[in-house]
Amino acid sequence: MNLTLHGYWRSGAAWRVRIALGLKGLDYTAVPHDLRIGAQASPAYLALAPQGLVPALEADGAVLTQSLAIMEWLEPLLPTDALARAHVRAMAGAIACDIHPLNNLRVLQSLRHDLGADKAQIAAWEARWITTGFAALEASVARHGGRFAFGDTPTLADCCLIPQIGSARRFGVDLAAFPRLVAVDAHCATLNPFRAAAPAAQSDAD
Amino acid sequence: MNLTLHGYWRSGAAWRVRIALGLKGLDYTAVPHDLRIGAQASPAYLALAPQGLVPALEADGAVLTQSLAIMEWLEPLLPTDALARAHVRAMAGAIACDIHPLNNLRVLQSLRHDLGADKAQIAAWEARWITTGFAALEASVARHGGRFAFGDTPTLADCCLIPQIGSARRFGVDLAAFPRLVAVDAHCATLNPFRAAAPAAQSDAD
């Protein structure tokens, strides 16, 4: 299958899909869109992905959007037991719905431009949602985790967790209260699919 | 199966799950938590759902959280074709990840208390994310929709869309630019599972 991933090196949502593609062993062509200059709002990209967000995955002519939907479509990375699947999807949702959307670039830009938030207020905002969400995730990993966020096999939860930890570090959030999350991150950092998906490994990284 | 849904009449995420349970024809006991007084942060509820968010679904002793994970676990409401499933999940994600989290109560409270946003700024914030997201959804429904957001059968996308339209109306957002979304909402409003799930029909509505 011919796969093209539209992304951006720093996009946490695109990073998730890069991990999932790597874990599936799927090759793809990366097309970067520089979010800092609004490249995702170009007419050509909007024709492909009307929401104007990355990632989008072209697969043999079809266009898939939304990182969770793309990763579900790849059909990887979920346990077989229904209840276990629900727990993994809940971990993924706790990040993809309750942390990441509050801290992505367009929202931080709105805080700054529309509400006049200063640097300290934005840093506090970023940290608030990350630490609130990570506290609950730490409890989930204590209950369900192993070498990975859920058990000893990588899942959707790790695809979401690793980029969110990367984002937390970039924002300077103290992770001392989340030793289990940090341990999962450290383990994943030893594995090729996670290493290849990291922002600094992308062709558009600066 | 013995089902207990922890929710709140105005919670859009709990509303989604009420619709899904109704579409599946599943009976459940509703346990309301008044988010306005922080009831979801009680020790008893946190022991059940460490994230301290509604909804949570108790199912024969297991506790499920995150509305998307709960609805997936119910196994309803998705087409059988893999690409169609991806489109439905993308619509659900465009709401559950990119609109709703920015406008829920805890975030609006933070805008007010931590950033000093006034009423007009909060209204503009609410409208911004709804109209941005709805513009893309209107395009998706134009492409994929029928009587429902995707085709002529209710899906996860409708479970997410109807509460988001309800929220948009409550916030006073002009929906004139989204005739297809409004038409889907009008159709759903004729159907019992959607009517029974509406906020005003809940025992804790005031």
Side-chain angles (χ1 to χ4, degrees), chain B:
Chain B
M1 188 175 304
N2 209 328
L3 297 173
T4 300
L5 179 64
H6 296 266
Y8 173 58
W9 65 292
R10 268 192 169 163
S11 157
W15 185 354
R16 290 174 200 155
V17 176
R18 292 197 301 264
I19 295 171
L21 288 163
L23 288 168
K24 292 287 287 183
L26 293 168
D27 286 327
Y28 62 93
T29 304
V31 176
H33 300 265
D34 190 341
L35 304 192
R36 288 168 302 187
I37 60 168
Q40 78 284 9
S42 72
Y45 188 67
L46 287 176
L48 198 78
Q51 229 189 333
L53 299 174
V54 297
L57 184 70
E58 289 187 83
D60 286 346
V63 181
L64 305 171
T65 59
Q66 287 286 331
S67 63
L68 294 180
I70 294 169
M71 294 190 292
E72 293 271 2
W73 178 80
L74 291 171
E75 287 191 341
L77 306 175
L78 285 170
T80 49
D81 173 69
L83 189 58
R85 292 167 84 89
H87 289 316
V88 168
R89 286 187 172 119
M91 289 187 194
I95 295 167
C97 298
D98 293 325
I99 300 177
H100 177 263
L102 294 161
N103 287 348
N104 69 13
L105 188 59
R106 64 178 190 151
V107 171
L108 302 182
Q109 284 173 338
S110 178
L111 291 176
R112 193 176 302 118
H113 299 144
D114 302 311
L115 296 176
D118 63 25
K119 278 192 178 181
Q121 287 174 315
I122 287 178
W125 171 277
E126 290 162 343
R128 177 178 308 123
W129 309 116
I130 291 171
T131 54
T132 302
F134 275 9
L137 281 165
E138 182 78 8
S140 294
V141 173
R143 188 160 171 194
H144 300 296
R147 287 184 301 155
F148 295 95
F150 189 95
D152 290 319
T153 308
T155 66
L156 273 188
D158 304 290
C159 294
C160 292
L161 176 62
I162 302 312
Q164 191 59 62
I165 289 180
S167 173
R169 290 214 171 96
R170 188 154 66 87
F171 292 147
V173 175
D174 183 0
L175 298 178
F178 316 115
R180 288 181 180 87
L181 305 186
V182 170
V184 169
D185 181 65
H187 178 60
C188 290
T190 67
L191 304 174
N192 282 333
F194 288 90
R195 296 164 74 101
Q202 307 314 304
S203 65
D204 57 328
D206 65 22

Side-chain angles (χ1 to χ4, degrees), chain A residues 24 28 39 52 64 77-78 83 94 127 131 147 153 160-161 163 201 203:
Chain A
K24 293 288 286 183
Y28 61 94
L64 304 170
L77 306 174
L78 284 170
L83 189 58
T131 55
R147 287 183 301 154
T153 308
C160 292
L161 177 61
S203 65

